[in-house]
Amino acid sequence: MTEVEKKLIKKVILQIKDSVTSDIRIMEICGTHTHQIARFGIRKLLTSKIHFVSGPGCPVCVTERGYIDALITLLEQNNVTVATFGDLLRVQGTCGSLEEQKSLGKKVLTVYSPEDVLSLAQDYNDKSIVFAAVGFETTAPLYAALIKTASMLKIKNLFFLTSLKRMEPAIRFVLGNAKANIDGILCPGHVAAITGIKPFLPITTEYHIPAVICGFDEMDLVTSINVLCKQIAGETPVQLINTYKRCVSDTGNEAALSLMNEVFKISEVSWRGIGKIKDSAMILNGNYEAFDACKKFGIEVKSNPHPFPHECECGKVMIGEKTPDMCKNFGCQCTPEHPLGPCMTSSEGACSAYYKYGGSEFGSKNYASTR
Amino acid sequence: MDQKITLRHGDGGLHTNRLIRDIFYKHFKNEILSGYQDSAIFTMEKGRLAFTTDSFVVKPIFFPGGDIGKLAVCGTVNDLAAAGALPLYISTGFVIEEGFEIEKLDAIAASMSRVCKLVGAKIVAGDTKVVEKGLVDGVYINTSGIGRVHEHFHPRPISSGDEIILTGSLAEHGTTILLKRYALGLKGDFISDCNPLSQIITALGDSMKHIKLMRDPTRGGVATALCEISESHHIGAIIEEDKLQIRPAVNSVHEILGTDPLYFASEGRMILVAKKGYGIEIVNILKRLENCCNCDVIGVFNNTYNKICIRTSLGGERIVSMLENQMISRIC
């Protein structure tokens, strides 16, 4: 960062302090925003009157235990290899994680991009590769492109267990929860880069809550927080502002949207710790059913009605009702080494950020030092 | 000569003898090793000795900037350097997979020999085992080393105000290995920093008396090494983010993967803790060395902190915790 940028950011921070005269609650829907704010040490530079709460925007955190169970069930079948991004490995299902299955000798492979999966399927054409396709609108176009390519190449041994979620229904769910009590929302710039601004418009037009589409560097974050604070203070009208115009157009990435529409259809899905949300899933449509692991192997992803182990409160953390340090397990029973809930398990999770960066950054006890 | 290692190369007979003669003796030749004895016999100098051992199982075996052999000797040389010692004698043990190419073994031994010559150390004892295909991944190497500790180096408790020096940029080795291991296909200027660091001891000379502690930030990277120092000395520190050098290509990889370079290994960097007020003097000496030209004071131990904290470029602060789990790829 240049000295000019640093000076500018410091100036913006002073403006934020001027705008905020009483306690306000800002939700970062996206886990990456949570982590970036902590990593840049932004909280400490702002006024303590700004309270950040997390939202349901970490794909790993909102993945049902039943989804992990289904992947583990697949591993029981002969000749099935499960491919996944690394951050899904440690997420607990009802009876353990993929990481534990791997240590038992089951075929679980970590990939670094969806394209790796195609190579895997071609390299191991005598095996069935099931890809754990988890994510939001950010990754869904990549999966759609992959599925379409696999279809064109007539690849017969690659299947997808999808858990793809849509942001707009989740935002409506959170804003419908009175306990969340949110004054402003930082909207995820990478989702908006695909979807455009439309899914985020209801925040201001229907719920009349200040909102800003925000990127991920220091300047993006302080600028967006400033825009929100001015709206909250009544200095500017409540309206959705896009401060990430270098990546986000009003209409989004039309090629990516078209690809998603070609491969997926909208459905209902259960969000971990939250429950079922109507129209919040993207599942394979009829044209691409041959790639659906559920149909191929006759399995089902069951939503698990039981509460989180040891009364973990990740569900309430993800809808802004509680902060991680309000959970009695946080930092003692629940740590990144022994996570009870997904928000501690995922590197993007709110509890993980609180624990990792802890202390003065979150205005709370230094949990990391109590290990 | 055979082209590949077979089980007979490990049976102790003629073929083992030829392998040792044609590969290891050829590269490691010195008056102590050449005695065909079960143990190396040598006379030790007066003073304090440092003794260390480590095993190397890196994948891939050959990587930009080095190979498992260079890594094995550098690892031991640098462990000795962190104890303030110049290396004297090294032993090495090879566990080789049946089918391993002898040409590769030759290249690895040549690498080990080059580092030894550079630092003035001798490989004086060795062992070779060959195991069935599939039991090891190519070749594993153990090295142990004995070195003489510099007369002015005396590790001492760290106090508030003592300065933290890092001899170069972060995470070059760990990132290079990551890219090669997983064939991520990212193009850029990636090369391991794997290099011996014993020249630090020689260059500092009398100034070693101002050094309280040294640590090479290998597995777990700079973050874990600093956290370990902080915990064992019961003192926190503040690190300046702007002083931490991460090459743009390396930084980009970690931004893409969502990993933190602070936790990735360096194999040619050293963390030094200098007595309060001596940081710049030490840095100025080290900057003259080839592998330390980007050396800088990156932070200061401070009693007001109970952990390692980073002051960010913006002036904010955040805690640096020890690495709890393996760094992994993320979804978004």
Side-chain angles (χ1 to χ4, degrees):
Chain A
M1 198 191 317
T2 64
E3 287 305 313
V4 174
E5 286 171 325
K6 278 186 202 172
K7 275 184 187 167
L8 190 56
I9 288 175
K10 282 173 185 166
K11 197 174 158 187
V12 177
I13 285 170
L14 287 177
Q15 287 179 20
I16 295 171
K17 285 179 174 172
D18 283 346
S19 291
V20 181
T21 51
S22 58
D23 283 1
I24 59 168
R25 283 161 63 82
I26 293 177
M27 173 176 273
E28 325 111 356
I29 291 176
C30 170
T32 310
H33 278 154
T34 308
H35 272 257
Q36 290 295 77
I37 289 171
R39 193 161 79 87
F40 297 134
I42 288 173
R43 275 186 178 82
K44 198 175 179 186
L45 296 169
L46 299 172
T47 160
S48 59
K49 290 187 172 67
I50 301 178
H51 305 276
F52 289 94
V53 294
S54 300
C58 164
V60 172
C61 297
V62 294
T63 299
E64 268 281 13
R65 273 186 284 171
Y67 179 82
I68 304 295
D69 295 342
L71 289 168
I72 291 173
T73 304
L74 284 171
L75 287 168
E76 298 296 332
Q77 304 213 17
N78 267 342
N79 223 19
V80 169
T81 296
V82 166
T84 173
F85 282 111
D87 48 4
L88 210 61
L89 284 177
R90 285 197 290 267
V91 179
Q92 291 288 323
T94 310
C95 301
S97 65
L98 290 172
E99 188 177 55
E100 287 161 17
Q101 292 294 313
K102 193 176 178 183
S103 69
L104 293 172
K106 297 284 168 57
K107 294 278 189 306
V108 180
L109 296 175
T110 310
V111 294
Y112 287 81
S113 86
E115 287 78 17
D116 293 348
V117 182
L118 209 55
S119 312
L120 273 179
Q122 288 167 322
D123 292 348
Y124 299 96
N125 56 16
D126 58 332
K127 295 185 185 342
S128 294
I129 309 290
V130 174
F131 183 41
V134 168
F136 282 101
E137 287 96 335
T138 41
T139 35
L142 294 171
Y143 297 145
L146 179 63
I147 292 163
K148 206 176 157 186
T149 308
S151 175
M152 285 190 302
L153 294 174
K154 298 191 181 346
I155 290 176
K156 303 288 183 201
N157 64 326
L158 176 59
F159 306 96
F160 295 81
L161 191 68
T162 60
S163 180
L164 293 169
K165 295 186 172 67
R166 297 176 65 231
M167 190 55 78
E168 185 181 341
I171 291 172
R172 287 180 181 278
F173 183 89
V174 168
L175 296 181
N177 171 28
K179 287 183 188 169
N181 189 24
I182 296 156
D183 298 302
I185 293 187
L186 284 175
C187 303
H190 50 6
V191 172
I194 303 295
T195 62
I197 64 171
K198 196 173 158 216
F200 304 100
L201 282 171
I203 303 172
T204 52
T205 57
E206 293 178 35
Y207 296 93
H208 309 291
I209 291 173
V212 57
I213 292 170
C214 177
F216 299 91
D217 69 22
E218 302 96 316
M219 188 72 83
D220 291 329
L221 285 162
V222 294
T223 306
S224 300
I225 293 166
N226 191 28
V227 166
L228 274 183
C229 290
K230 284 192 187 321
Q231 289 190 37
I232 296 166
E235 293 173 32
T236 55
V238 171
Q239 58 180 317
L240 179 68
I241 303 283
N242 177 11
T243 60
Y244 198 36
K245 282 192 172 158
R246 67 181 187 275
C247 292
V248 177
S249 70
D250 285 359
T251 51
N253 183 331
E254 287 168 22
L257 289 171
S258 156
L259 204 54
M260 285 158 67
N261 288 334
E262 186 185 332
V263 176
F264 301 121
K265 65 180 179 185
I266 292 171
S267 179
E268 182 178 80
V269 69
S270 185
W271 295 52
R272 188 169 187 154
I274 293 172
K276 284 185 178 171
I277 304 180
K278 198 180 166 210
D279 294 339
S280 67
M282 286 171 275
I283 61 169
L284 287 162
N285 66 28
N287 296 331
Y288 293 93
E289 273 180 357
F291 292 97
D292 189 332
C294 286
K295 289 195 166 60
K296 165 71 184 175
F297 298 101
I299 57 156
E300 179 184 2
V301 175
K302 293 178 185 158
S303 64
N304 196 323
H306 300 297
F308 283 93
H310 311 291
E311 296 175 7
C312 170
E313 300 199 271
C314 283
K316 287 177 180 165
V317 169
M318 286 187 285
I319 56 172
E321 217 176 292
K322 290 196 169 181
T323 52
D325 53 347
M326 291 165 82
C327 173
K328 67 180 180 187
N329 294 311
F330 178 75
C332 42
Q333 302 297 321
C334 183
T335 64
E337 206 172 359
H338 300 290
L340 294 182
C343 292
M344 187 65 90
T345 310
S346 166
S347 60
E348 294 286 295
C351 298
S352 158
Y354 262 66
Y355 187 90
K356 184 176 176 190
Y357 297 118
S360 58
E361 173 55 30
F362 287 97
S364 58
K365 173 182 159 189
N366 181 356
Y367 294 95
S369 68
T370 61
R371 280 173 296 137
Chain B
M1 196 163 122
D2 296 330
Q3 292 194 331
K4 290 196 174 179
I5 293 288
T6 61
L7 288 174
R8 66 185 183 179
H9 285 111
D11 65 8
L14 178 69
H15 292 279
T16 307
N17 190 278
R18 279 186 190 157
L19 183 75
I20 291 170
R21 186 193 65 204
D22 295 342
I23 302 288
F24 299 126
Y25 278 11
K26 180 178 82 176
H27 291 295
F28 302 160
K29 190 177 179 183
N30 60 65
E31 67 287 357
I32 299 172
L33 183 69
S34 303
Y36 281 93
Q37 299 179 88
D38 285 343
S39 298
I41 299 175
F42 44 79
T43 307
M44 293 306 300
E45 303 170 42
K46 284 182 182 173
R48 293 171 298 156
L49 296 177
F51 178 42
T52 185
T53 190
D54 207 345
S55 297
F56 298 83
V57 293
V58 66
K59 184 180 175 184
I61 290 166
F62 293 88
F63 49 84
D67 57 59
I68 191 172
K70 183 180 181 187
L71 189 68
V73 178
C74 288
T76 285
V77 167
N78 293 349
D79 282 349
L80 291 172
L86 287 170
L88 296 169
Y89 303 116
I90 291 172
S91 76
T92 180
F94 285 77
V95 179
I96 312 170
E97 184 185 24
E98 180 188 13
F100 192 72
E101 291 165 44
I102 289 181
E103 191 182 348
K104 286 184 180 171
L105 194 63
D106 189 71
I108 289 166
S111 255
M112 296 172 79
S113 168
R114 273 195 295 275
V115 181
C116 284
K117 284 194 179 87
L118 196 66
V119 299
K122 288 174 179 161
I123 293 178
V124 294
D127 178 49
T128 307
K129 295 283 185 289
V130 178
V131 295
E132 285 176 36
K133 194 159 186 64
L135 290 186
V136 300
D137 195 356
V139 61
Y140 298 162
I141 301 178
N142 169 272
T143 49
S144 300
I146 292 176
R148 186 176 64 80
V149 180
H150 194 281
E151 59 183 321
H152 291 317
F153 183 65
H154 297 277
R156 283 160 286 163
I158 295 169
S159 318
S160 197
D162 287 345
E163 296 167 64
I164 303 166
I165 295 163
L166 181 63
T167 61
S169 52
L170 296 180
E172 312 256 337
H173 176 76
T175 309
T176 305
I177 293 293
L178 178 83
L179 290 175
K180 286 291 281 182
R181 184 178 296 167
Y182 299 112
L184 295 183
L186 296 171
K187 291 194 174 117
D189 179 20
F190 301 108
I191 185 161
S192 167
D193 52 31
C194 176
N195 269 301
L197 294 168
S198 49
Q199 80 274 26
I200 288 176
I201 315 292
T202 319
L204 286 178
D206 287 353
S207 293
M208 283 293 286
K209 62 179 178 247
H210 304 310
I211 303 296
K212 288 191 166 184
L213 183 147
M214 288 189 279
R215 178 74 56 87
D216 56 338
T218 51
R219 219 163 32 162
V222 167
T224 303
L226 287 174
C227 288
E228 283 172 0
I229 296 170
S230 166
E231 276 193 13
S232 60
H233 287 256
H234 310 290
I235 188 166
I238 183 78
I239 306 296
E240 302 295 334
E241 188 173 59
D242 284 347
K243 295 280 185 180
L244 294 172
Q245 295 196 29
I246 307 168
R247 287 196 310 105
V250 171
N251 210 25
S252 301
V253 168
H254 292 286
E255 281 188 359
I256 290 166
L257 296 178
T259 43
D260 188 342
L262 272 177
Y263 294 94
F264 275 69
S266 300
E267 291 289 345
R269 306 285 183 248
M270 190 71 85
I271 294 169
L272 299 94
V273 178
K275 197 176 160 190
K276 182 180 178 180
Y278 289 92
I280 297 297
E281 179 184 320
I282 302 294
V283 164
N284 286 338
I285 296 170
L286 294 181
K287 271 189 165 179
R288 293 175 208 144
L289 300 174
E290 190 184 353
N291 294 320
C292 303
C293 52
N294 293 319
C295 184
D296 209 344
V297 175
I298 60 163
V300 178
F301 282 99
N302 189 324
N303 271 331
T304 58
Y305 297 89
N306 64 356
K307 282 191 72 71
I308 301 295
C309 291
I310 283 192
R311 185 174 292 123
T312 68
S313 300
L314 292 181
E317 284 175 16
R318 67 179 156 92
I319 287 170
V320 178
S321 306
M322 212 173 278
L323 181 63
E324 306 249 0
N325 284 303
Q326 191 191 356
M327 284 270 169
I328 46 179
S329 61
R330 68 177 184 192
I331 285 167
C332 71

